[in-house]
Amino acid sequence: MKHALIALFAILSLSSAAEHDVVIYGGTCAAVTSAVQIKKMGKSVIIVSPDKHLGGLSSGGLGFTDTGNKAVIGGLARDFYHRIYLHYQKPVAWKQQKQSEYGNKGQGTPAMDGENRTMWIFEPHAAEQVFEDYIQEFGIEVVRDEWLDRAKGVQKDGDKITAITTLSGKTYAGKMFIDATYEGDLMAAAGCDYHVGREANSVYGEEHNGIQVGVLHHRHHFGAVKEPISPYQVPGDPKSGVLPRVSAEDPGIKGEGDNRVQAYCFRSCYTKVPENRLPFPKPEGYDASQYELLLRVLNTGWGEFFEKFDPIPNHKTDTNNHGPFSFDNIGMNYDYPEASYERRREIIAEHRTYQQGLLWFVANDPRVPKKVQEELQTWGLPKDEFTDNGHWSRQLYIREARRMIGYYVMTENELRKKKPTPESVGMGSYTIDSHNVQRYITPEGFVQNEGDIGVSTNGPYEIAYGSLVPKKGQGSNLLVPVAMSASHIAYGSIRMEPVFMILGQSAATAAVFAIDGNLSVQQVPYVKLREQLLKDSQVLEYAGPKSSRGVEAKKLKGIVLDDSEAKVTGHWQQSGAAKSFIGDGYSHDGNAKDGQSSLRFEPKLTQPGKYRLQLASTPNTNRASNAAVEIQHAGGVEKLKIDLKSPKQAEGVFWIDLGEFECTNDTAITISNSGADGYVVVDGARWLPMEK
């Protein structure tokens, strides 16, 4: 009798729920672009948002947009950044800074944009206003602060979702459903397969997935400081105990999978304008001991604390993690993807305490180096941002949570063009970028971070329609444009906000065609979908320059060979994380220190004579100071040891001078990692003819 009453109540609830053509769950940027597209195609839609404010991270502090190649950002995503441009053409938008002072930073060029100019750097409140403008302009129905009942709130008929119910008891029926959450809550509750953590490289035949012990990319590791740092309370004494924010667990084996996820942080917004500035608050539960490791980093003379205080309009910042101990709260989010709402709130609160505590510590603790402390004391929280949340971002940066295992799984092989991508519904181009995942103790007894990796995609890549839909039999009317189907390392690039907007629009288009054709999402005809996406200005293929940061070799002085033209021995990895480079990226040896890898440049000179020889290499403190170079010239062979840490910039490329040599057509430069004490990074080689 009890079960019959429950079933009857469910039927009555469903029958009383107003049905929409499409129900979108989530409040992210993808939720908004999905809803706009559905309305433009003449269907009814409702956004059921757990958030009170729309836009997710795009309105939550990430205003220094991670774009990659802007030429592949089309459709509603590009329209969003066009609207941002229009916002900043209004004098009223400039309250703490003159528009002429800020200039055209972050704007697309007229040649690239045409009449619809874009701007890719903005304040949080400006982004939120654009999202709300979409809602008003298209008459989109939105319910806020409605949280999916993840235990029993998804009603299905076979593999078809019929309605969702929130914790408030409200039910929303629909023909199609879109999960636009970062966490993939609807997707998971609907019974779709998904993964949390890093897959082993062996799962999808990848190279950069799984545990990354020994891989030290960027400057977000302890190799970036001048000396090794002890992880113990008393330096060098394991018996004294391990410092906070350091794990004593075995980090695992390189390339194997685990259930850890990359670190989260708030993309917080600060200002230096006194009239608009509030001092950083001392958070409840502040504990100075949590930042002992940061103090040790600062006391080595490390001077990059303010490196990612990226400027946005009106003298504000979008502030991101930078360095070995920074705003990423490493290792404190592993249970977030699957956690209850209550537990997630605890994790978010702990992240806020950690990040605000770090700011308080640096600004107030007397042990902090004076120069750093005095600089931070000039910063504070802006009075006119996040006014209902203590002027602190409402959105934690969920860099990854659940990832659906769908009809098609995007891997690094598609992103790096090792495999073709079927049925493109949009493009990405940002470097494959995972933040650190754990902080551990090395066998030598020092602290180190693990998980941070940057790998070049060798230009823009296509994203498969199949990665937005579940496997057959798991969800015939569900699309997932955010927690979509990708491996951990592939998601490291796809996870950018403009891409979510692109995929949201494409998912919405497919949902409408599924309704009109009475089809499952897996049956939507791609030819028809493609035709509509192109009509709506989505970019599905790209044949232009592969990187907006790349410098064409032929435009440089002298005879220049890119690293892609070198003869390769051993194993080299590709990256594109630096601010500029020749071509589409550069090569590095992965800090192997095995003496097995070399690159040989042979220009085949047509004019013998005297040349100045140079190697191109992107700078970083983790580079080798003693890279082995062999120069073949008219007089014989010259062997050198060169420092790759601080090359000099010219023509947008970083060069290391090797000297002047008489050269014939058999000249060559070979660089190897034999005996190297750091990364061997090679971007190219050049022969500059000397004037006679």
Side-chain angles (χ1 to χ4, degrees), residues 138-435:
F138 290 92
I140 297 167
E141 185 178 355
V142 181
V143 292
R144 306 173 194 247
D145 200 21
E146 289 291 336
W147 298 78
L148 176 68
D149 183 340
R150 289 156 56 190
K152 55 184 184 298
V154 179
Q155 299 168 37
K156 295 182 74 174
D157 180 5
D159 68 347
K160 182 179 181 180
I161 302 172
T162 56
I164 62 171
T165 301
T166 58
L167 292 177
S168 69
K170 296 176 183 176
T171 297
Y172 304 93
K175 298 173 184 175
M176 287 283 149
F177 291 81
I178 294 176
D179 183 342
T181 63
Y182 293 120
E183 296 84 1
D185 282 342
L186 175 56
M187 175 268 295
C192 301
D193 290 344
Y194 61 87
H195 187 82
V196 175
R198 299 180 285 189
E199 300 91 349
N201 275 325
S202 59
V203 174
Y204 296 118
E206 296 177 295
E207 183 181 346
H208 299 94
N209 208 337
I211 295 165
Q212 297 294 308
V213 171
V215 178
L216 306 178
H217 278 270
H218 302 301
R219 300 179 180 179
H220 311 313
H221 53 81
F222 284 84
V225 297
K226 295 178 181 178
E227 58 195 53
I229 293 180
S230 173
Y232 302 115
Q233 298 279 359
V234 176
D237 181 7
K239 294 180 180 179
S240 65
V242 177
L243 288 174
R245 311 283 165 179
V246 179
S247 171
E249 295 183 6
D250 187 321
I253 299 172
K254 188 177 187 299
E256 291 193 353
D258 62 9
N259 62 358
R260 304 178 181 104
V261 294
Q262 58 179 306
Y264 301 163
C265 71
F266 289 96
R267 292 289 286 258
S268 44
C269 184
Y270 311 144
T271 182
K272 272 189 169 183
V273 178
E275 299 78 20
N276 194 39
R277 183 183 64 204
L278 294 167
F280 293 122
K282 183 178 183 179
E284 185 177 349
Y286 170 74
D287 177 5
S289 70
Q290 299 297 309
Y291 311 104
E292 173 63 30
L293 199 55
L294 173 60
L295 185 64
R296 293 183 186 182
V297 170
L298 293 173
N299 284 337
T300 67
W302 181 76
E304 300 178 20
F305 184 84
F306 301 98
E307 186 75 14
K308 286 301 290 180
F309 280 48
D310 290 321
I312 61 175
N314 287 307
H315 291 302
K316 296 175 186 172
T317 69
D318 164 5
T319 312
N320 198 3
N321 178 80
H322 180 82
F325 192 108
S326 182
F327 298 122
D328 275 1
N329 195 5
I330 298 171
M332 303 301 287
N333 61 341
Y334 298 156
D335 59 335
Y336 180 91
E338 301 268 43
S340 66
Y341 292 134
E342 181 180 7
R343 174 62 185 141
R344 284 183 185 167
R345 284 191 287 270
E346 291 174 353
I347 294 169
I348 292 168
E350 195 278 334
H351 277 67
R352 179 169 174 164
T353 297
Y354 165 75
Q355 202 158 330
Q356 289 187 343
L358 190 155
L359 291 164
W360 176 268
F361 175 82
V362 174
N364 294 278
D365 195 289
R367 297 171 294 169
V368 170
K370 186 177 181 181
K371 182 179 179 181
V372 177
Q373 187 162 84
E374 290 180 347
E375 169 65 15
L376 188 60
Q377 287 172 349
T378 67
W379 293 93
L381 302 181
K383 294 178 182 178
D384 58 349
E385 299 290 353
F386 310 119
T387 55
D388 63 348
N389 197 51
H391 309 281
W392 189 262
S393 173
R394 308 176 191 98
Q395 177 63 59
L396 184 64
Y397 195 168
I398 309 301
R399 289 190 170 93
E400 65 177 338
R402 300 186 185 95
R403 301 184 308 280
M404 180 173 66
I405 304 174
Y407 189 81
Y408 190 88
V409 180
M410 292 292 297
T411 73
E412 71 168 82
N413 296 314
E414 286 80 10
L415 274 62
R416 299 176 68 202
K417 325 300 184 298
K418 293 186 174 183
K419 285 178 61 179
T421 301
E423 301 185 338
S424 172
V425 290
M427 301 194 74
S429 64
Y430 197 79
T431 298
I432 298 174
D433 175 36
S434 172
H435 281 232

Side-chain angles (χ1 to χ4, degrees), residues 440-603:
Y440 69 101
I441 302 172
T442 68
E444 296 77 21
F446 299 112
V447 64
Q448 190 52 272
N449 295 336
E450 181 275 316
D452 184 88
I453 188 167
V455 179
S456 173
T457 63
N458 193 29
Y461 56 86
E462 299 164 11
I463 300 172
Y465 173 62
S467 68
L468 308 186
V469 301
K471 296 175 182 176
K472 287 183 179 180
Q474 294 190 356
S476 61
N477 65 337
L478 174 65
L479 294 115
V480 187
V482 179
M484 44 79 71
S485 180
S487 69
H488 157 77
I489 195 65
Y491 197 75
S493 172
I494 296 170
R495 65 183 177 84
M496 304 304 150
E497 292 285 291
V499 179
F500 289 154
M501 295 186 207
I502 291 167
L503 298 183
Q505 180 179 0
S506 296
T509 307
V512 171
F513 285 148
I515 293 171
D516 288 344
N518 194 27
L519 302 168
S520 72
V521 294
Q522 294 84 4
Q523 294 173 321
V524 171
Y526 178 67
V527 172
K528 187 175 181 180
L529 176 60
R530 173 186 173 83
E531 181 182 5
Q532 185 66 47
L533 295 178
L534 292 173
K535 180 181 176 182
D536 292 333
S537 302
Q538 292 275 53
V539 181
L540 306 184
E541 295 96 14
Y542 182 72
K546 293 181 178 179
S547 173
S548 58
R549 290 176 289 155
V551 178
E552 291 186 59
K554 65 182 180 181
K555 293 183 178 180
L556 296 168
K557 295 176 183 177
I559 300 161
V560 178
L561 296 182
D562 185 32
D563 61 293
S564 62
E565 301 175 90
K567 291 185 176 180
V568 178
T569 301
H571 180 66
W572 292 86
Q573 301 178 39
Q574 301 303 305
S575 184
K579 293 181 179 179
S580 65
F581 38 76
I582 302 170
D584 303 320
Y586 47 90
S587 301
H588 67 86
D589 72 333
N591 203 27
K593 300 178 182 177
D594 58 5
Q596 302 299 309
S597 299
S598 66
L599 293 176
R600 181 177 174 85
F601 296 89
E602 300 176 348

